[in-house]
C-alpha cells in the first residue's frame, strides 16, 4: 500500500466492513480530538473500546477503559492509535498479537516500520488519517463544512433513519 | 492497488460538491432559503454546537447551498476546504481575523485592487493590524519588508488593474523562509488559468463576484484552505494552535488537521463577524461556475484580439496585456497562465485624463461601471472612479494613472467589441 495516498475504495472498505474499534490513547477530556472521534464513531454505530492505562477501570462515553489491548476479552477489528508515532510500533505488535484486522494511525501519526510489520502479518494499515474525518468525507457529511471530499457522485446520499443530517457510508453508494 | 481516476477540471466545475438532493432527488442544487435547521433532539443540538458532529445549524455559519459552492471552489483550486462569504472583501477580513492579533503586521503587494488597498490601509488600522507594502515584481522587496511582527504575505496572482503576472513561486519562497502563510487573491485568473496552490500558496481568496460567478448578478467571496501550512509547528497563530476559549478548549489545528484554517474561519471568524453569503447568491454563483472553463477561454481569446487591435490604434499610447508578444510579463504569463492572461487589462490614452473621460462617455456596447468579470464588456477610468480615493503616487503605483483605461472584455462577438471601441475612440 502506498501510504502517501490511499484510494477512497480502500478507506471505505475498511470503515464499512469493520465495526469494533479499540482506541489506544482515548482521552476522557471532552476537548481532545480522541474524545471527539470516539463520540462520533459511536454515533455511526461502531463499538469503540477505549484503551488508556491512566484511565483503567473508569468509563469514557459509557465504555469501560482498558489498560492495554491484551486486556480486552473480545475480538477487535481496528486498532486506532492516538499516540506519538514512535509508540505505534509496540502497539502494532500487540494489535497483531490480538488478531486485529486493521491498524489505523491518527492524523499526524506515522510509523512505516510498524506499517510494514502489520502488512506482513496480513493486516490492513492506514496512517496519518482520522476515521471520523474519513467517514464524514466519504459519506458527504463533511461537505457541509466546505471540505473537499475529492470525490464526485451522481447518486443520492445514503441517509440513516435519523434523517437528512445523518449520512451513512455504504460500499455501493457512489 | 487500484488507481482511482481523478476527474478533470471541466468535470469538477460541474459536479464537485453536488449530489442529488437527499430529500427530494432534485438534480440541480436546491436553494435552501432558510435561516435555521431543526435539531433532532437536545443531544444532537449540543453535539452540533460543540463541533462534535457535522451538520447545519444556522445560515450565518453554514447552509447546504453554500456548502456545495464551497466544496466546488476547493476542488477547482485543489485545496482541502472552502468557505464562501458575502464578498471578496469579507473573505480577506476573515482570513486576517484568523491570522492576526492586535499589533501584528502583514506584507502586501503594492499593486492590488484599489479596494484592497483601502481595506488594508484604513479599515485594518482600526483593528491595529498593519500592512507593509512591497513590489509585486520584486520578490526581494517582500524579504526586505519582513519584521518579527510579520504574520502573512498577500498577493494577487494577476494584479488588478495593472496587468501584472505575479511570480507566485518566488514570493512563496520568501514566505516559507519567514515561516508565514502566503495568501493569494486568485480572482482575476480563476483556477481555470492559474492554480496558486501548485506554486506555493497556503490560502487562496476570491471575489466570486467576478469570473467565477461570471454573470454580474451576485456579490460573493471565498476562502480556500490549501492545507499546506503547519500551524502546530509554527505556534505563532494562537487562533489555530491554542485551545479555543469559545469552543470548550478545542485546538483547531489539532482537531481538524489540514482543513483547520477553513473551519476556524467559519466557526470563529464568520460566526462572530457575520458576513454570510445568501443561499440565493451561492446558487447563482454555483450555476456560473459550471461554465467557467468555457467562459474563461472565450474571455481570454476575445481579450487578446482586443488588446492586439488597441496596440495598433494611433490614439493609444500603450497596452498592458501580458498576453501580447513583447509584453514584459509575457514570460511569467507563459509559466503561470498559459491558457490566457485573463480578460482584464489597462491601456493608456495619448490624450490623458480628458481622453479617458471622453472614451467611457462614448462607448455604446461597453458598460461604464466598477466591476469586472461579467459576460458583458465593461469599461472604467480608474483615476476618476475606483482609484479616486488614492493619492497620485498610490494611483501610479497601482497602475491607475490619469491616462489609464481598464477593460474587462466580455463574451460578445469580438468584432462588435472592437467596433464599439473604434467608434468611441473616434470621438476622443
Amino acid at each position: 500500500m502506498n501510504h502517501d495516498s490511499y484510494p477512497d475504495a480502500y478507506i471505505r472498505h475498511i470503515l464499512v466492513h469493520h465495526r469494533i474499534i479499540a482506541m489506544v490513547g482515548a482521552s476522557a477530556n471532552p476537548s481532545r480530538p480522541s474524545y471527539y472521534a470516539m463520540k462520533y464513531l459511536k454515533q455511526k454505530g461502531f463499538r469503540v473500546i477505549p484503551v488508556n492505562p491512566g484511565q483503567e477501570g473508569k468509563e469514557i462515553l459509557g465504555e469501560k477503559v482498558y489498560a492495554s489491548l491484551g486486556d480486552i476479552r473480545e475480538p477487535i477489528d481496528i486498532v486506532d492509535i492516538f499516540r506519538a508515532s514512535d509508540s505505534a510500533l509496540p502497539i502494532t505488535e500487540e494489535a497483531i498479537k490480538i488478531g486485529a484486522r486493521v491498524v489505523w494511525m491518527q492524523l499526524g501519526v506515522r510509523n512505516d516500520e510498524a506499517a510494514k510489520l502489520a502488512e506482513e502479518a496480513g493486516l490492513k494499515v492506514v496512517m496519518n488519517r482520522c476515521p471520523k474525518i474519513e467517514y464524514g468525507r466519504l459519506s458527504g457529511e463533511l461537505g457541509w463544512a466546505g471540505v473537499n471530499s475529492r470525490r464526485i457522485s451522481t447518486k443520492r446520499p445514503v441517509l440513516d433513519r435519523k434523517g437528512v443530517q445523518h449520512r451513512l457510508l455504504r460500499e455501493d453508494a457512489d | 492497488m487500484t488507481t482511482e481516476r481523478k476527474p478533470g477540471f471541466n468535470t469538477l466545475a460541474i459536479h464537485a460538491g453536488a449530489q442529488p438532493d437527499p430529500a427530494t432527488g432534485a438534480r440541480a442544487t436546491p436553494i435552501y432559503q432558510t435561516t435555521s435547521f431543526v435539531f433532532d433532539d437536545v443531544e444532537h443540538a449540543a453535539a452540533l454546537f460543540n463541533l462534535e458532529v457535522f451538520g447545519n445549524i444556522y445560515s450565518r455559519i453554514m447552509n447546504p447551498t453554500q456548502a456545495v459552492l464551497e466544496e466546488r471552489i476547493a476542488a477547482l483550486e485543489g485545496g482541502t476546504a472552502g468557505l464562501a462569504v458575502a464578498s471578496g472583501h469579507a473573505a480577506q477580513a476573515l482570513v486576517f481575523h484568523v491570522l492576526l492579533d492586535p499589533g501584528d503586521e502583514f506584507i502586501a503587494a503594492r499593486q492590488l485592487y484599489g479596494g484592497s488597498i483601502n481595506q488594508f490601509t484604513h479599515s485594518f488600522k482600526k483593528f491595529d493590524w498593519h500592512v507593509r507594502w512591497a513590489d509585486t515584481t520584486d520578490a526581494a522587496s517582500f524579504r526586505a519588508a519582513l519584521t518579527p511582527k510579520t504574520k502573512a504575505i498577500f498577493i494577487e496572482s494577476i494584479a488588478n488593474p495593472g496587468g501584472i503576472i505575479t511570480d507566485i513561486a518566488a514570493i512563496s519562497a520568501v514566505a516559507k523562509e519567514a515561516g508565514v502563510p502566503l495568501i493569494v487573491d486568485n480572482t482575476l485568473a480563476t483556477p481555470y488559468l492559474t492554480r496558486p496552490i501548485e506554486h506555493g500558496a497556503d490560502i487562496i481568496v476570491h471575489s466570486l463576484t467576478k469570473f467565477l460567478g461570471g454573470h454580474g448578478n451576485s456579490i460573493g467571496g471565498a476562502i480556500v484552505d490549501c492545507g499546506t501550512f503547519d500551524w502546530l509547528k509554527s505556534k505563532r497563530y494562537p487562533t489555530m494552535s491554542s485551545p479555543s476559549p469559545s469552543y470548550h478548549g478545542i485546538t483547531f489545528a489539532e482537531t481538524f488537521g489540514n482543513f483547520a484554517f477553513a473551519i476556524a474561519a467559519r466557526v470563529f471568524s464568520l460566526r462572530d463577524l457575520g458576513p454570510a453569503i445568501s443561499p440565493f447568491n451561492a446558487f447563482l454563483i454555483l450555476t456560473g461556475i459550471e461554465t467557467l472553463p468555457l467562459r474563461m477561454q472565450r474571455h481570454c481569446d476575445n481579450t487578446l484580439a482586443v488588446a492586439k487591435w488597441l496596440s495598433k490604434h494611433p490614439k493609444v499610447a500603450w497596452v498592458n496585456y501580458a498576453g501580447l508578444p513583447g509584453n514584459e510579463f509575457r514570460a511569467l504569463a507563459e509559466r503561470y497562465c498559459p491558457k490566457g492572461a485573463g480578460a482584464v487589462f489597462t491601456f493608456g490614452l495619448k490624450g490623458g485624463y480628458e481622453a479617458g473621460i471622453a472614451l467611457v462617455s462614448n462607448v455604446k456596447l461597453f458598460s461604464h461601471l466598477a466591476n469586472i468579470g461579467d459576460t458583458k464588456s465593461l469599461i472604467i477610468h480608474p483615476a476618476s472612479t475606483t482609484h479616486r480615493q488614492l493619492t497620485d503616487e498610490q494611483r501610479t503605483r497601482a497602475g491607475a494613472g490619469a491616462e489609464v483605461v481598464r477593460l474587462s472584455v466580455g463574451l460578445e462577438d469580438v468584432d462588435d467589441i472592437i467596433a464599439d471601441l473604434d467608434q468611441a475612440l473616434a470621438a476622443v
Side-chain angles (χ1 to χ4, degrees):
Chain A
M1 178 53 60
N2 170 11
H3 293 289
D4 295 320
S5 165
Y6 300 106
D8 286 351
Y10 177 77
I11 301 281
R12 184 187 295 272
H13 183 89
I14 289 172
L15 291 174
V16 168
H17 293 285
H18 301 93
R19 307 306 298 170
I20 304 177
I21 301 173
M23 187 177 278
V24 182
S27 173
N29 177 349
S31 70
R32 300 301 301 159
S34 59
Y35 186 93
Y36 267 55
M38 179 172 171
K39 191 166 180 184
Y40 179 83
L41 293 167
K42 276 170 66 74
Q43 282 168 2
K44 292 300 172 191
F46 291 90
R47 175 152 156 67
V48 186
I49 301 170
V51 177
N52 182 342
Q55 298 285 322
E56 186 184 4
K58 296 180 186 162
E59 283 192 354
I60 299 176
L61 290 163
E63 298 286 345
K64 186 182 165 192
V65 185
Y66 291 85
S68 73
L69 287 172
D71 295 339
I72 304 172
R73 296 280 158 245
E74 58 185 296
I76 297 296
D77 295 326
I78 301 176
V79 172
D80 184 11
I81 304 176
F82 265 96
R83 296 282 306 278
S85 297
D86 52 8
S87 308
L89 185 61
I91 296 166
T92 299
E93 286 167 348
E94 225 183 333
I96 296 167
K97 206 184 293 175
I98 65 165
R101 315 294 298 275
V102 179
V103 169
W104 188 305
M105 301 180 208
Q106 274 296 325
L107 266 182
V109 184
R110 178 163 178 158
N111 187 319
D112 287 273
E113 191 186 348
K116 188 164 176 279
L117 196 70
E119 285 176 332
E120 280 168 3
L123 282 72
K124 289 194 164 80
V125 176
V126 177
M127 297 193 284
N128 192 25
R129 296 283 183 107
C130 170
K132 174 188 176 184
I133 289 172
E134 293 304 299
Y135 196 104
R137 179 174 77 81
L138 294 169
S139 67
E141 285 189 357
L142 251 184
W144 296 325
V147 172
N148 182 4
S149 67
R150 303 189 304 280
R151 61 182 192 100
I152 58 175
S153 171
T154 56
K155 306 280 196 299
R156 271 203 224 193
V158 183
L159 308 182
D160 85 0
R161 59 192 158 72
K162 288 185 208 154
V164 172
Q165 297 244 44
H166 306 271
R167 295 192 181 168
L168 289 176
L169 203 54
R170 270 209 329 238
E171 201 137 37
D172 60 351
D174 278 358
Chain B
M1 192 188 114
T2 54
T3 50
E4 292 184 328
R5 206 185 143 68
K6 287 198 166 45
F9 192 88
N10 295 278
T11 306
L12 290 175
I14 294 165
H15 289 282
Q19 273 183 270
D21 182 52
T24 63
R27 183 59 271 230
T29 296
I31 303 165
Y32 290 93
Q33 193 67 39
T34 180
T35 57
S36 328
F37 302 84
V38 292
F39 309 118
D40 298 341
D41 49 44
V42 174
E43 199 182 325
H44 179 229
L48 282 167
F49 277 101
N50 283 346
L51 306 179
E52 291 166 6
V53 296
F54 313 110
N56 297 291
I57 300 173
Y58 192 57
S59 290
R60 191 180 75 243
I61 308 168
M62 78 284 275
N63 174 283
T65 312
Q66 169 192 347
V68 177
L69 173 63
E70 290 164 342
E71 185 171 349
R72 178 93 32 105
I73 296 162
L76 292 176
E77 288 286 11
T80 54
L83 174 63
V85 293
S87 69
H89 259 34
Q92 291 173 184
L94 294 190
V95 163
F96 285 108
H97 186 254
V98 175
L99 296 177
L100 304 187
D101 286 291
D104 283 345
E105 291 177 3
F106 66 102
I107 303 170
R110 192 175 279 127
Q111 300 86 341
L112 289 187
Y113 163 51
S116 295
I117 295 175
N118 278 336
Q119 186 188 42
F120 295 172
T121 307
H122 303 296
S123 283
F124 280 13
K125 199 181 284 175
K126 300 200 60 136
F127 301 122
D128 202 17
W129 303 339
H130 302 278
V131 61
R132 289 169 67 92
W133 300 105
D135 181 351
T136 313
T137 62
D138 177 14
S141 70
F142 287 83
R143 191 174 288 112
L146 287 167
T147 77
K149 291 180 178 175
T150 306
K151 288 288 190 71
I153 293 179
F154 184 99
I155 57 175
E156 292 175 353
S157 50
I158 299 180
N160 173 18
I164 295 167
I165 310 293
T166 306
D167 190 348
I168 302 169
I171 297 168
S172 164
V174 176
K176 283 189 170 50
E177 275 171 43
V180 301
L182 176 67
I183 308 159
V184 179
D185 180 342
N186 200 30
T187 299
L188 260 67
T190 80
Y192 175 74
L193 296 177
T194 302
R195 303 228 294 180
I197 193 167
E198 292 165 4
H199 308 290
D202 297 300
I203 296 161
I204 297 166
V205 291
H206 277 285
S207 167
L208 302 174
T209 314
K210 314 301 186 319
F211 295 97
L212 281 162
H215 294 71
N217 57 24
S218 307
I219 302 280
I223 298 165
V224 175
D225 186 345
C226 299
T228 46
F229 195 82
D230 191 341
W231 308 104
L232 290 172
K233 189 176 155 201
S234 166
K235 298 194 190 333
R236 291 185 67 217
Y237 303 89
T239 300
M240 297 303 301
S241 63
S242 300
S244 170
S246 77
Y247 282 103
H248 311 293
I250 70 160
T251 299
F252 287 116
E254 215 176 52
T255 306
F256 297 104
N258 66 359
F259 54 88
F261 184 83
I263 298 288
R266 180 191 306 279
V267 304
F268 176 57
S269 299
L270 177 60
R271 181 196 67 176
D272 292 355
L273 299 182
I277 190 169
S278 96
F280 187 56
N281 279 17
F283 171 82
L284 291 172
I285 293 165
L286 197 54
T287 304
I289 289 176
E290 295 192 6
T291 56
L292 172 71
L294 295 169
R295 288 186 290 103
M296 210 58 206
Q297 192 58 59
R298 179 64 65 85
H299 274 298
C300 289
D301 295 347
N302 282 357
T303 305
L304 182 59
V306 171
K308 279 182 175 164
W309 181 83
L310 279 172
S311 64
K312 291 181 192 129
H313 197 282
K315 290 185 182 172
V316 172
W318 50 264
V319 177
N320 191 5
Y321 183 58
L324 285 176
N327 181 278
E328 62 175 309
F329 296 104
R330 186 81 197 101
L332 283 170
E334 276 165 10
R335 176 172 171 200
Y336 286 101
C337 45
K339 292 197 284 279
V344 176
F345 72 95
T346 53
F347 62 99
L349 289 166
K350 288 176 183 164
Y353 192 91
E354 298 308 322
I357 300 279
L359 179 63
V360 298
S361 305
N362 281 288
V363 287
K364 290 174 179 162
L365 182 64
F366 274 83
S367 304
H368 177 213
L369 52 75
N371 190 29
I372 54 171
D374 196 326
T375 53
K376 304 163 194 74
S377 289
L378 314 175
I379 190 167
I380 199 159
H381 180 229
S384 61
T385 53
T386 50
H387 288 61
R388 195 183 182 89
Q389 321 305 338
L390 305 183
T391 64
D392 282 346
E393 191 203 349
Q394 279 179 317
R395 270 202 286 272
T396 304
R397 282 184 157 177
E403 81 288 12
V404 177
V405 173
R406 181 186 75 185
L407 299 184
S408 171
V409 177
L411 303 177
E412 301 96 337
D413 286 290
V414 70
D415 292 346
D416 293 337
I417 297 170
I418 289 171
D420 189 38
L421 289 171
D422 195 27
Q423 65 80 26
L425 280 166
V428 167

